Amino acid sequence: MEMMHRRWFLQSCGFVFFFFVLQYAHGDLSYSVQEELKRGSVIGNIAKDLGLEVGSLSVRKARVDMEGNDRQYCGINLRSGDLMVAERIDREEHCGEEPSCVLKFDLLLENPLELHRLSLQVQDINDNAPIFPKDTVKLEITESADKGARYRINAAQDADVGKNSVERYILQPNPHFVFSIQTTSAGRKYGELVLNKELDREEQQEMKLLLTAVDALDGGSPQRSGTVVIHVTVLDANDNAPVFSQAVYKASLPENSPVDTVVVTVSATDADEGVNGDVTYEFGHVTEDVKKIFSIDRKVGEIRVIGAVDYETSTSFEIRVKAKDGLGLSSYAKVIISITDVNDNAPVVNLKSLTNSIPEDTLPGTEVGIINVQDRDSENNRQVRCSIQQNVPFKLVPSIKNYYSLVTTGQLDRELVSDYNITITATDEGSPPLSSSKTVQLSVADINDNPPVFEEQSYSAYVTENNKPGSTLCSVTARDPDWRQNGTVIYSLLPGEVNGAPVSSYLSVNGDTGVIHAVRSFDYEQFRSFKVHVMARDNGSPPLSSNVTVSVFISDVNDNSPQILYPAPEGNSFMTELVPKAAHGGSLVSKVIAVDADSGQNAWLSYHIVKSTDPGLFTIGLHSGEIRTQRDISESDSMKQNLIVAVKDNGQPSLSATCSMYLLISDNLAEVPELKDISYDEKNSKLTSYLIIALVSVSTFFLTFIVIILGVRFCRRRKPRLLFDGAVAIPSAYLPPNYADVDGTGTLRSAYNYDAYLTTGSRTSDFKFVTSYNDNTLPADQTLRKSPSDFADALQNRFNFNHGHFNFHTVKM
């Protein structure tokens, strides 16, 4: 009795603890844990047992995988390093009736990749009650049965093991039977109903006995039990039970065998005759899973397939078959069915880790992901080869067991390929081989490795002068293939000068759009073109940039009127040309010279006589400005000729200027009448009558001498000398100080020079005889300029005698 109490105490102590570490050797860890623990229950401390820092578990992405099972029964608390229960663990589900239940797990650590084997010893608890195969056991016993006869009773089945399994049976007290526990050579227990006293059918034909199976006799908490009613029917003597042809039947069955496939046929015979010899077959105690897969023909004994046979679920089945005669005697045989593997499971590719996204400057050989491959088949059907499609800069490197590392093999360039869809194919070595694929998506992260690039090597902008400030000249565009801020382009003007002024005072650029605007109005006559440099900079770190040259060309606008250089209007004075009476048609009389500061067609000048004293006498060259006689001078022509000449440019709209040209038809000054009316109404002299009288008197006196001198000269030469056959040129005094020919059109030609010879009889005008220029010619600025009030004094003071004749120098009137 004392020994029983001590045994009960020791077994009770075995249920107090929940787990303990069994061993730690060669990188493998073993733990023990009771089944049915709550989620979150601590099994052990991984960090402590492996000698790792707790923080390194999170950094190295520690996790636990169970081979061949997608369910996660265990998990790791990365903050504490504890190995915890993640899901309900049922020992009976994993190990059935096996006395020892060990679950295998893989502990995986990354960077570097490290694999440890975890063995979890699942301890049984008393969570299952004993169960008899049937609620009622019917026995038919002949009254001739001898005392001590034994009748086998199917033992109660308890899913628990060890001390939690069935420990004893209690038979309801009765006068005829006792219950005895027997053990087979294989260690299986069964019960026997032992006849303790002979039966008397006439005294009692049947009886019902209650048999109770009790587990955990020595401390199960709580103790569980199951009952069955033994219904004993007393029969006449039947002394032969069925006998199987084999004690053990063995068969091999490929998985995925079709329904109705005959696995094996059992056979038993009974020496009795009649009803006592009729044998029927049935399964003994089998699980519900077996009943869903196999069936037995009660009459023939054929075991057939009725459900799905899967090697990966169960590799073998052990079935007890019962043969019973018509009056209740029975015997048992064992049927062992081995399931052979068929390559019916394709490999499964699992992505365990992936770095996303990858910088484009990642070096070749960098690990970016970890791949795990599983195949539920066995032997060669389980051997898997992994491959990756071509033309991607990645490869698979075999690592530990069935793990592969995905590493880069070349330089990445986001601007060429920004995303990769990598297809990983796993193929087993079965016959025929099966394969599966998994696509891994990888993104390439951008770095600022591309400067902005302008669409053109240089830009040209064309703008007309007098433009409005703020007007758009052109637009520059630069592209940067980088992403986000690395590809955001900002435009700016590089510092510089244009005509001594900062470039920013002429142009501005929109930093976002690259549109270039004029800051102020341009003048073609000031400068015609200039260049600026625009910089395009991205917003990366550090920023990258590039430059482009923008040439700005200013086009001319007709904004300058022609400028008449000769005759030059100066105050109230006017120029007068002397035309000999002997001038023939086509003789050059004078020339109007004008310039235009514009260029091109805006500076193409044309000359027109808009008003003249005698419209048919003189003509002017349309583009030369040369005034010529249209016909010979006649006596009837008026001595005083006035021409109003308009000079127009060819711009749109056209601009013009006018001047007056005064001509006197006379061979000598003595014939010149009073000149005060030459200027017409707009230039009438205000000389008083006494000045006119004095002037006429003095002129008459001097004209006498002039006629004499001219007569002598004409006699010597015998032929009059025409003074207008030479080209008319402009004195240099009429040119503007900084005048330059504009594009060679419509402007002053340097081939013309003017010589001025004065004659007697001048009153209120300047007179010029035009001839080829020589050393005896007066300076160009010594022409006769009108000033009616001063005419008389000037005329008297400017006469000089020289070698029998005299020339007028500059006379201002």
Side-chain angles (χ1 to χ4, degrees):
M1 189 68 178
E2 181 180 355
M3 291 297 293
M4 290 183 65
H5 282 295
R6 179 177 302 174
R7 180 184 176 190
W8 177 86
F9 175 77
L10 292 177
Q11 289 181 349
S12 299
C13 292
F15 288 90
V16 174
F17 71 94
F18 286 88
F19 57 86
F20 63 93
V21 178
L22 296 179
Q23 62 179 358
Y24 172 43
H26 304 294
D28 292 343
L29 301 177
S30 296
Y31 297 90
S32 178
V33 62
Q34 286 185 351
E35 66 173 334
E36 304 294 343
L37 284 181
K38 294 181 180 180
R39 294 182 181 180
S41 299
V42 178
I43 299 173
N45 191 283
I46 294 293
K48 179 179 178 182
D49 295 337
L50 291 177
L52 300 174
E53 295 291 337
V54 175
S56 66
L57 296 178
S58 176
V59 173
R60 298 182 65 182
K61 300 179 182 178
R63 57 184 176 276
V64 175
D65 292 333
M66 184 176 181
E67 182 176 349
N69 200 317
D70 295 333
R71 299 178 62 183
Q72 298 292 328
Y73 292 98
C74 297
I76 299 176
N77 187 331
L78 299 179
R79 291 175 295 182
S80 63
D82 290 333
L83 179 66
M84 300 182 302
V85 176
E87 291 187 31
R88 172 178 172 267
I89 302 176
D90 186 4
R91 189 202 67 82
E92 289 73 33
E93 176 184 349
H94 295 286
C95 301
E97 297 179 359
E98 296 293 332
S100 176
C101 185
V102 179
L103 301 183
K104 300 293 185 179
F105 296 90
D106 290 336
L107 172 62
L108 182 66
L109 300 172
E110 297 183 15
N111 297 321
L113 184 62
E114 186 175 347
L115 184 68
H116 295 271
R117 295 286 292 175
L118 296 183
S119 297
L120 190 63
Q121 179 76 39
V122 182
Q123 295 181 350
D124 183 55
I125 64 172
N126 191 25
D127 59 339
N128 292 280
I131 300 176
F132 286 92
K134 296 181 180 180
D135 294 337
T136 302
V137 175
K138 293 183 180 182
L139 294 178
E140 296 177 345
I141 304 175
T142 62
E143 60 181 356
S144 61
D146 296 332
K147 180 180 179 181
R150 296 175 176 268
Y151 304 95
R152 187 165 182 169
I153 304 296
N154 288 335
Q157 300 297 319
D158 194 329
D160 298 322
V161 297
K163 59 180 178 296
N164 293 326
S165 63
V166 177
E167 289 291 332
R168 64 172 180 160
Y169 292 86
I170 301 174
L171 181 64
Q172 178 184 350
N174 66 91
H176 293 283
F177 296 95
V178 294
F179 194 81
S180 175
I181 300 296
Q182 300 296 325
T183 303
T184 66
S185 59
R188 298 180 64 88
K189 292 183 178 181
Y190 65 94
E192 289 183 341
L193 192 64
V194 181
L195 184 62
N196 193 40
K197 182 182 178 181
E198 291 80 2
L199 298 174
D200 186 0
R201 178 180 176 277
E202 288 71 25
E203 181 181 352
Q204 189 176 2
Q205 292 185 1
E206 62 180 16
M207 61 186 69
K208 293 182 178 180
L209 305 176
L210 182 65
L211 177 63
T212 302
V214 181
D215 64 7
L217 179 63
D218 296 330
S221 179
Q223 189 178 62
R224 300 178 186 274
S225 63
T227 61
V228 65
V229 175
I230 302 175
H231 187 187
V232 179
T233 302
V234 181
L235 303 175
D236 285 340
N238 180 21
D239 55 353
N240 291 291
V243 177
F244 281 97
S245 61
Q246 296 177 219
V248 177
Y249 293 86
K250 294 183 179 181
S252 178
L253 179 68
E255 66 172 324
N256 302 326
S257 293
V259 175
D260 263 352
T261 299
V262 177
V263 181
V264 66
T265 301
V266 296
S267 177
T269 60
D270 194 314
D272 295 326
E273 295 181 354
V275 176
N276 294 331
D278 292 338
V279 178
T280 59
Y281 303 93
E282 62 182 28
F283 287 142
H285 175 71
V286 293
T287 63
E288 291 298 323
D289 291 338
V290 173
K291 293 179 180 180
K292 293 177 181 179
I293 299 174
F294 301 103
S295 68
I296 187 169
D297 189 291
R298 293 180 57 83
K299 294 296 184 179
V300 179
E302 288 181 348
I303 298 177
R304 294 177 177 270
V305 176
I306 62 172
V309 181
D310 187 5
Y311 175 86
E312 287 70 41
T313 301
S314 181
T315 60
S316 65
F317 295 93
E318 184 175 317
I319 304 174
R320 297 182 69 238
V321 179
K322 177 181 178 182
K324 184 177 67 171
D325 60 22
L327 296 179
L329 293 181
S330 62
S331 61
Y332 293 87
K334 182 186 296 184
V335 177
I336 299 176
I337 303 174
S338 298
I339 309 300
T340 58
D341 184 39
V342 173
N343 190 28
D344 60 341
N345 291 280
V348 178
V349 180
N350 298 309
L351 180 63
K352 294 297 184 180
S353 176
L354 183 66
T355 302
N356 210 348
S357 59
I358 311 168
E360 59 180 320
D361 59 349
T362 299
L363 296 176
T366 302
E367 181 181 272
V368 297
I370 296 176
I371 306 299
N372 175 258
V373 182
Q374 298 284 346
D375 194 316
R376 298 179 61 191
D377 294 321
S378 63
E379 298 180 353
N380 289 341
N381 296 334
R382 190 173 184 171
Q383 300 301 315
V384 178
R385 302 185 308 274
C386 282
S387 62
I388 195 170
Q389 89 262 29
Q390 301 297 321
N391 302 323
V392 292
F394 300 93
K395 68 177 180 179
L396 286 176
V397 177
S399 186
I400 302 172
K401 198 178 179 182
N402 50 355
Y403 286 88
Y404 294 83
S405 295
L406 182 63
V407 299
T408 59
T409 60
Q411 189 67 43
L412 305 177
D413 189 348
R414 192 202 67 84
E415 287 69 45
L416 295 178
V417 181
S418 60
D419 295 281
Y420 289 93
N421 290 326
I422 304 171
T423 301
I424 299 171
T425 303
T427 305
D428 60 28
E429 295 184 0
S431 179
L434 299 178
S435 63
S436 63
S437 300
K438 186 177 185 65
T439 299
V440 178
Q441 294 183 345
L442 285 174
S443 298
V444 181
D446 183 52
I447 63 171
N448 191 27
D449 58 346
N450 291 282
V453 178
F454 284 95
E455 291 183 347
E456 299 181 18
Q457 294 183 352
S458 63
Y459 290 84
S460 297
Y462 298 90
V463 60
T464 58
E465 63 174 328
N466 305 325
N467 59 293
K468 293 183 179 180
S471 59
T472 300
L473 300 187
C474 68
S475 176
V476 297
T477 303
R479 306 294 182 186
D480 193 320
D482 292 324
W483 194 49
R484 289 187 175 175
Q485 70 270 14
N486 293 334
T488 301
V489 179
I490 300 173
Y491 302 93
S492 62
L493 289 174
L494 291 179
E497 291 187 354
V498 176
N499 283 358
V503 68
S504 58
S505 64
Y506 289 90
L507 300 177
S508 67
V509 63
N510 188 307
D512 297 325
T513 64
V515 176
I516 298 177
H517 300 275
V519 175
R520 62 176 173 179
S521 179
F522 300 124
D523 186 0
Y524 176 85
E525 287 71 41
Q526 183 180 2
F527 55 88
R528 302 183 183 185
S529 65
F530 60 92
K531 293 183 179 180
V532 296
H533 298 282
V534 178
M535 178 180 69
R537 174 181 58 84
D538 60 29
N539 207 23
S541 180
L544 302 177
S545 63
S546 60
N547 303 333
V548 72
T549 300
V550 178
S551 300
V552 180
F553 298 95
I554 303 168
S555 58
D556 184 43
V557 171
N558 191 27
D559 59 346
N560 291 280
S561 299
Q563 180 182 357
I564 299 176
L565 303 180
Y566 181 83
E570 296 183 3
N572 292 327
S573 62
F574 58 87
M575 300 297 298
T576 302
E577 299 287 351
L578 191 62
V579 182
K581 292 179 179 181
H584 298 289
S587 298
L588 178 63
V589 174
S590 184
K591 180 178 176 68
V592 176
I593 300 177
V595 294
D596 196 314
D598 296 319
S599 67
Q601 67 177 9
N602 295 328
W604 295 350
L605 303 182
S606 60
Y607 301 84
H608 309 273
I609 297 177
V610 298
K611 186 177 181 181
S612 65
T613 302
D614 188 348
L617 182 55
F618 298 100
T619 184
I620 188 169
L622 180 62
H623 298 296
S624 64
E626 295 178 346
I627 301 175
R628 295 179 181 271
T629 57
Q630 293 191 71
R631 56 179 173 81
D632 294 343
I633 302 296
S634 65
E635 293 295 336
S636 62
D637 292 329
S638 174
M639 180 180 292
K640 295 179 289 184
Q641 297 288 332
N642 179 269
L643 304 178
I644 297 178
V645 179
V647 183
K648 298 181 180 180
D649 58 27
N650 199 34
Q652 293 294 331
S654 176
L655 301 178
S656 63
T658 60
C659 67
S660 296
M661 180 68 70
Y662 304 100
L663 304 175
L664 288 177
I665 300 175
S666 177
D667 290 333
N668 55 66
L669 293 179
E671 299 177 357
V672 178
E674 190 173 335
L675 301 177
K676 67 177 181 178
D677 294 332
I678 291 181
S679 61
Y680 296 95
D681 295 338
E682 70 275 9
K683 296 186 178 181
N684 287 332
S685 175
K686 296 182 181 180
L687 295 177
T688 58
S689 58
Y690 70 89
L691 180 58
I692 294 173
I693 296 172
L695 180 60
V696 172
S697 300
V698 174
S699 298
T700 303
F701 174 76
F702 283 103
L703 284 175
T704 304
F705 290 93
I706 292 173
V707 171
I708 297 172
I709 295 172
L710 290 176
V712 174
R713 294 183 66 181
F714 288 153
C715 291
R716 290 179 180 178
R717 299 184 179 180
R718 296 182 180 179
K719 185 178 180 181
R721 180 182 178 184
L722 295 180
L723 304 179
F724 296 91
D725 293 337
V728 180
I730 185 172
S732 61
Y734 291 108
L735 294 174
N738 297 322
Y739 173 75
D741 186 16
V742 181
D743 291 345
T745 60
T747 57
L748 180 63
R749 298 181 181 178
S750 59
Y752 292 107
N753 292 314
Y754 281 82
D755 297 336
Y757 289 85
L758 302 183
T759 61
T760 59
S762 298
R763 295 188 189 180
T764 60
S765 299
D766 291 349
F767 299 93
K768 288 189 178 181
F769 292 94
V770 181
T771 183
S772 298
Y773 185 78
N774 55 50
D775 294 340
N776 296 325
T777 305
L778 293 176
D781 58 349
Q782 295 182 1
T783 59
L784 298 178
R785 304 192 183 275
K786 76 171 183 176
S787 181
S789 61
D790 299 334
F791 178 76
D793 295 337
L795 190 60
Q796 294 176 359
N797 296 331
R798 294 294 179 178
F799 284 117
N800 289 322
F801 291 91
N802 185 15
H803 299 288
H805 70 276
F806 57 89
N807 293 331
F808 280 109
H809 295 277
T810 302
V811 180
K812 294 187 182 290
M813 293 179 285

